[in-house]
Amino acid sequence: MEKLRRAVNQIAYTPRSQRLATLSPLQLSLIPLLSLASSLFKLALSFRHQLHHFGLLRKNRLPVPVISVGNLTWGGNGKTPMVEFIALWLANSGISPLILTRGYGGADEARMLRRHLDGTSAKIGVGADRAATAACFIDRYGHINGLSVSSFERLCYEHDRDAGSHLDSDKIGVAILDDGMQHLSLWRDLEIVMVNGMMPWGNHQLLPLGPLREPLSALSRADIIVVHHADLVSEQNMKLIESTIREVTKSLPIYSTRMTPLYFFKVGTSFKLSLEATHNMIVLCVSAIGFADSFVRRIEKGDLLQMRPLHVDRLDFSDHHLLQTEDIDMIRVILQKLQAKFAAKPVVIVTEKDYDRDPEILGHLEPFEVWVLCSKLQVITQKGCSGDSFMKTMRRVLEVHDHV
């Protein structure tokens, strides 16, 4: 199954003009079947949108503003880091956010969010029916009655002045819909669409022939578009991405973000290591995330020369893959080969999502050490766009929706 997923993923990100030169005979034989499935998916998608358009499928509305963070393609778009970024901003402004996530793939993202947001007023609801999950949390904690989204600036000012003492921080003020773009059954006041700058649209085809969950025309539903991993993208490719977006929507704000590495911690301990600890190290990057290239590239690139490993190898699994005993054995074999080749003990580096999926199994790699790379999302300041202007844009769009 893992090999099949890899084969389909390569098809999805290979342009039609390069198929014959790039894909194997097996992959080429899969294309007609995938194309048929993609056509059926398009029909089902259109039918579903029509049902919502004519009101035949119910759209629930929460008693608090809803911010949706979603994407058009599968995996690696920075949705969860953006959800955390917004939740921290709200919590620090004295507004208690409720994050609504479906908990897909063993809820590794929910575990990571809980760890990062521990000690804040943020709450995390996990469940496929996001409206029902929200109702349970609102019944339990209550919500801020009559909180207009246009009062965000006032709340932020009050929080800066006196730590938000006028607010009941336990009551829910805003809901954040994680992976919400295709969750049409819940009304949202603000739609943020994340784009993977390193691999934005693949072959431009719908699932499963391509990576698109909706046609590119769906970008017209967005209020804000964010190009993630922008620091790893050339200026020319950034212009191509913006040009594609502008073909659909002329005026929406486009922001750029990156993942900024902070430090490592060793699995099995709370011991933190600086980024410079990788200097002259032999590194094996092991990951089961949506887009592993960004993770590996950041280690290889050194991120402003803070990380300077001597050699970087990699082992990628499918997104949300749960490591098994045989996977640990395979990793151990690779580590032993690297140790023999370089006459130095290599270290395994994983992402926080991989760690939170199953922290215990990574300890079975002893005597080899496993380090977890901790990072945070950062809005890149360029062309007058910054983290502050991103927040102002969010507030402005929410104010417009508040008066509709």
Side-chain angles (χ1 to χ4, degrees):
M1 184 60 70
E2 184 71 23
K3 289 182 179 179
L4 180 60
R5 287 176 181 171
R6 289 172 186 261
V8 171
N9 185 73
Q10 187 178 1
I11 293 170
Y13 286 101
T14 300
R16 183 189 293 268
S17 60
Q18 298 177 16
R19 284 177 180 174
L20 288 176
T22 305
L23 303 179
S24 68
L26 173 61
Q27 288 172 314
L28 292 172
S29 70
L30 289 174
I31 289 177
L33 180 61
L34 295 173
S35 182
L36 174 61
S38 183
S39 298
L40 294 174
F41 177 70
K42 184 177 182 179
L43 287 173
L45 197 63
S46 177
F47 182 62
R48 178 168 170 257
H49 276 277
Q50 289 297 316
L51 291 177
H52 278 285
H53 178 73
F54 290 108
L56 298 176
L57 285 179
R58 181 185 175 190
K59 181 169 284 193
N60 298 284
R61 189 156 195 168
L62 301 183
V64 296
V66 175
I67 299 174
S68 169
V69 180
N71 66 314
L72 285 184
T73 60
W74 64 42
N77 297 274
K79 294 188 303 296
T80 303
M82 176 57 76
V83 166
E84 178 186 335
F85 182 81
I86 295 170
L88 283 172
W89 169 62
L90 290 168
N92 290 335
S93 300
I95 303 170
S96 179
L98 168 63
I99 298 172
L100 298 171
T101 178
R102 61 180 176 174
Y104 177 77
D108 48 6
E109 292 159 346
R111 292 192 192 99
M112 185 176 72
L113 286 169
R114 284 195 182 99
R115 188 160 51 81
H116 285 192
L117 298 172
D118 184 40
T120 73
S121 62
K123 300 162 182 65
I124 301 172
V126 179
D129 188 338
R130 258 73 76 86
T133 301
C136 290
F137 274 79
I138 290 172
D139 286 344
R140 179 178 177 183
Y141 294 100
H143 67 282
I144 301 178
N145 290 308
L147 172 67
S148 80
V149 290
S150 61
S151 62
F152 276 130
E153 287 199 44
R154 177 182 61 81
L155 291 170
C156 291
Y157 169 75
E158 289 181 355
H159 179 70
D160 290 340
R161 188 183 63 191
D162 55 19
S165 59
H166 297 301
L167 299 174
D168 185 346
S169 63
D170 209 35
K171 289 186 176 181
I172 295 166
V174 175
I176 306 173
L177 191 56
D178 183 19
D179 196 11
M181 189 174 186
Q182 288 75 39
H183 193 75
L184 302 178
S185 60
L186 192 64
W187 179 273
R188 70 286 318 277
D189 298 271
L190 176 66
E191 186 83 71
I192 300 173
V193 177
M194 305 294 295
V195 176
N196 180 355
M198 293 180 69
M199 197 71 74
W201 328 112
N203 59 11
H204 290 244
Q205 300 296 316
L206 290 174
L207 294 170
L209 179 61
L212 291 177
R213 300 161 78 176
E214 292 188 73
L216 289 178
S217 58
L219 289 172
S220 62
R221 303 204 309 270
D223 296 299
I224 296 173
I225 295 175
V226 178
V227 180
H228 194 44
H229 302 311
D231 61 314
L232 300 177
V233 181
S234 68
E235 184 177 350
Q236 180 181 0
N237 285 339
M238 283 294 291
K239 288 180 179 179
L240 288 174
I241 293 170
E242 183 173 352
S243 175
T244 300
I245 293 171
R246 293 301 178 212
E247 289 176 7
V248 178
T249 173
K250 299 293 184 183
S251 59
L252 286 186
I254 301 174
Y255 286 87
S256 300
T257 55
R258 58 164 286 165
M259 292 304 295
T260 301
L262 301 175
Y263 59 87
F264 300 100
F265 70 83
K266 290 184 181 182
V267 169
T269 73
S270 58
F271 186 67
K272 291 184 179 180
L273 295 166
S274 68
L275 300 177
E276 289 86 349
T278 56
H279 183 56
N280 282 336
M281 294 289 291
I282 310 302
V283 169
L284 174 63
C285 294
V286 177
S287 61
I289 57 177
F291 189 68
D293 283 359
S294 60
F295 164 56
V296 178
R297 276 277 305 279
R298 211 165 288 287
I299 300 292
E300 290 176 332
K301 181 183 174 185
D303 206 74
L304 303 179
L305 299 180
Q306 293 184 74
M307 293 181 283
R308 290 174 290 173
L310 179 66
H311 175 80
V312 178
D313 207 338
R314 64 188 290 177
L315 178 61
D316 306 336
F317 295 94
S318 297
D319 196 13
H320 301 289
H321 175 76
L322 193 64
L323 290 177
Q324 307 296 320
T325 302
E326 55 267 29
D327 299 324
I328 294 296
D329 292 339
M330 179 169 59
I331 296 170
R332 189 182 296 279
V333 169
I334 296 173
L335 291 169
Q336 290 168 346
K337 289 181 179 179
L338 287 172
Q339 186 172 14
K341 180 177 179 180
F342 292 95
K345 183 179 287 188
V347 63
V348 176
I349 297 181
V350 300
T351 69
E352 288 187 89
K353 277 181 62 177
D354 297 304
Y355 169 78
D356 284 306
R357 193 174 301 118
D358 189 352
E360 293 183 4
I361 197 167
L362 294 170
H364 295 170
L365 285 170
E366 290 183 343
F368 297 101
E369 290 185 354
V370 181
W371 298 358
V372 182
L373 177 63
C374 297
S375 307
K376 70 174 182 179
L377 182 138
Q378 179 184 14
V379 179
I380 298 173
T381 300
Q382 58 182 19
K383 298 180 181 178
C385 297
S386 65
D388 288 341
S389 65
F390 176 75
M391 298 309 181
K392 289 178 181 177
T393 300
M394 286 217 308
R395 287 196 290 264
R396 185 169 62 250
V397 174
L398 283 167
E399 288 170 5
V400 171
H401 279 274
D402 189 41
H403 291 93
V404 172

